[in-house]
Amino acid sequence: MRIAIINGPNLNLLGTRETDIYGNIPFEKFLKQLKKKYPKVKFEYFQSNIEGELINELQRVGFDLDGIILNPAGYTHTSVGIGDAIAAIKTPVIEVHISNVHAREDFRKISHISGKAVGSIFGLGLKGYELAVEWFLQQ
Ligand code: DQA
């Protein structure tokens, strides 16, 4: 099982960024724990603050991996291009948000991703990434 995790802008600052919303664990630390918990899963991790780089990565991994877990962060609410990339690739994508985007500002209720993803998880913290892995493993 090969799973890519792709994180969008500002998620490189997890652990220090708005910790009341996103918690105080750096993503790299969480990823280490995830790899330990699922030793048979081969994870590929990519983070970028640049929209086109996220699209390039989706196209790169999107034809032969088993699953993609995508948190497009702020681009969720603005990026037609990322939504189109998900529609264009073959690998199923699960959209994950750490915070409950529906309980925040109105602009966060819009997602260009949800309609193209197989499913979406939001508001469950970093646990959402783990639940997405579980879903892929049970397919
Ligand atoms: C986020 C929610 C987005 O609205 C926000 O722009 C982010 C993080 C989340 O994981 O909760 O950067 O995707």
Side-chain angles (χ1 to χ4, degrees):
M1 169 74 61
R2 291 167 70 205
I3 295 176
I5 298 178
I6 302 177
N7 274 342
N10 303 305
L11 293 172
N12 54 316
L13 298 180
L14 278 183
T16 55
R17 169 195 184 201
E18 296 179 278
T19 52
D20 50 323
I21 300 174
Y22 300 114
N24 51 18
I25 302 173
F27 197 81
E28 285 71 16
K29 188 172 173 195
F30 169 75
L31 188 59
K32 243 186 215 165
Q33 293 165 2
L34 200 64
K35 285 178 175 171
K36 228 186 214 168
K37 181 157 185 188
Y38 298 101
K40 290 195 178 132
V41 176
K42 192 174 176 296
F43 288 102
E44 296 204 19
Y45 178 57
F46 181 82
Q47 188 279 329
S48 176
N49 296 322
I50 299 167
E51 184 177 11
E53 287 187 358
L54 295 167
I55 293 170
N56 283 345
E57 183 65 6
L58 283 165
Q59 292 185 7
R60 190 185 74 79
V61 298
F63 292 91
D64 54 16
L65 265 68
D66 302 296
I68 297 171
I69 300 168
L70 173 66
N71 184 346
Y75 288 136
T76 305
H77 319 298
T78 60
S79 180
V80 172
I82 293 177
D84 284 348
I86 295 168
I89 61 178
K90 295 270 178 278
T91 301
V93 172
I94 297 181
E95 175 190 17
V96 170
H97 298 286
I98 296 162
S99 65
N100 180 353
V101 284
H102 292 282
R104 300 179 65 190
E105 302 96 323
D106 279 349
F107 69 84
R108 294 188 204 274
K109 293 177 184 155
I110 294 164
S111 172
H112 291 278
I113 311 305
S114 301
K116 309 282 167 49
V118 285
S120 304
I121 299 171
F122 46 82
L124 304 182
L126 290 173
K127 188 86 184 167
Y129 291 86
E130 190 180 319
L131 293 171
V133 172
E134 283 291 340
W135 189 85
F136 282 125
L137 285 172
Q138 286 170 33
Q139 294 314 296

